[in-house]
Amino acid sequence: MQESKEQRVHNVFEKISDNYDKMNSVISFQQHIKWRKDTMKKMNVQPGSKALDVCCGTADWTIALAEAVGPTGEVTGLDFSQNMLNVGIEKVKDLGLNQVKLLHGNAMELPFPDNSFDYVTIGFGLRNVPDYLQVLKEMHRVVKPGGIAVCLETSQPTLIGYKQLYYFYFRFIMPMFGKLLAKSYREYAWLHESARDFPGMRELAKMFEQAGFKDVKYRPYSGGAAAVHIGKKN
């Protein structure tokens, strides 16, 4: 079962990598950029610090972190789709961000020693891994004591009416966008499944605690279409 989800996700992202940024903007009506900006404000990233962006995809959040830590900091982006990373590598090169390293690797088994980073982030990637808790435990392991882990992800709206509209959009409209704009109906139908099955905000906050994080805080965006979770390592 685990291999099949991993393999399927890998194939999805290898296929949609060229259109991923464009599709993200269409699907979220550009909202994902606002959500990330607000999350970065909450994180208050310090210049000169070390950050890891897990499931970094095409490296948008990695780049935002690199700008925040500045030239004296270090940011590592990790993803298991080489095609997605290749898009990110070009962006990083164009921006001349020497403090960024992009690595091919698996979120379930992060290739870093314990207590390596001040900040560890995962943006719209947790729902695609085979075991959410395992990835959160790995994030807890590699973050330094006093550091934070942050997850920005789709969530489960609770408002009656809006909730049904949200699921309708994810199930029917979004895959059509995928077909029209990226010739990838099947791949975008998968993204509906992964969002539908993802835990709600409270459930995910409990998982953060199970993984060892303290002072776990969360906040919904756009009526619960997405949410940010922040946990601290003592």
Side-chain angles (χ1 to χ4, degrees), residues 7-230:
Q7 199 50 51
R8 190 175 175 196
V9 172
H10 186 262
N11 293 339
V12 165
F13 286 101
E14 289 286 278
K15 185 167 180 202
I16 66 176
S17 56
D18 287 346
N19 292 293
Y20 182 77
D21 288 340
K22 177 176 74 179
M23 285 300 298
N24 246 0
S25 292
V26 170
I27 286 165
S28 78
F29 305 104
Q30 295 275 12
Q31 291 301 300
H32 71 290
I33 297 166
K34 284 186 189 163
W35 300 335
R36 191 174 63 239
K37 274 190 180 161
D38 189 68
T39 297
M40 286 291 286
K41 260 190 223 162
K42 286 183 170 39
M43 288 173 67
N44 189 25
V45 175
Q46 295 303 300
S49 49
K50 282 181 77 173
L52 168 67
D53 187 22
V54 180
C55 301
C56 68
T58 60
D60 279 355
W61 202 354
T62 314
I63 288 165
L65 288 163
E67 286 163 354
V69 303
T72 58
E74 282 175 47
V75 181
T76 304
L78 176 135
D79 202 274
F80 79 157
S81 163
Q82 189 60 52
N83 286 353
M84 294 282 276
L85 281 173
N86 291 343
V87 176
I89 287 164
E90 285 309 307
K91 287 189 204 170
V92 168
K93 214 185 281 175
D94 289 347
L95 291 164
L97 295 168
N98 299 323
Q99 68 272 46
V100 174
K101 266 191 310 205
L102 294 178
L103 299 180
H104 189 250
N106 194 331
M108 300 275 288
E109 220 175 312
L110 296 173
F112 310 105
D114 299 0
N115 311 321
S116 295
F117 301 95
D118 302 293
Y119 306 92
V120 181
T121 60
I122 187 164
F124 304 103
L126 191 59
R127 70 175 187 270
N128 295 318
V129 303
D131 185 336
Y132 311 133
L133 184 57
Q134 169 63 18
V135 170
L136 290 174
K137 282 178 176 171
E138 277 292 274
M139 288 169 72
H140 182 269
R141 179 181 68 75
V142 301
V143 78
K144 293 175 185 176
I148 58 168
V150 184
C151 173
L152 179 58
E153 186 55 273
T154 55
S155 192
Q156 307 296 346
T158 51
L159 195 65
I160 301 300
Y162 179 65
K163 180 179 174 177
Q164 283 73 10
L165 197 64
Y166 172 84
Y167 290 125
F168 179 84
Y169 174 73
F170 253 94
R171 186 170 177 193
F172 299 107
I173 311 295
M174 193 176 80
M176 287 311 294
F177 277 147
K179 189 178 182 182
L180 291 169
L181 297 173
K183 310 285 183 281
S184 303
Y185 182 88
R186 207 169 66 87
E187 286 73 20
Y188 282 91
W190 151 256
L191 294 181
H192 147 68
E193 280 175 49
S194 64
R196 180 196 63 199
D197 298 338
F198 196 68
M201 278 169 266
R202 281 188 193 143
E203 207 184 329
L204 186 57
K206 278 188 190 137
M207 272 191 202
F208 260 74
E209 285 164 0
Q210 271 176 281
F213 291 105
K214 307 292 179 207
D215 306 325
V216 179
K217 294 178 173 61
Y218 60 89
R219 187 206 150 170
Y221 290 119
S222 303
V228 60
H229 286 69
I230 300 178

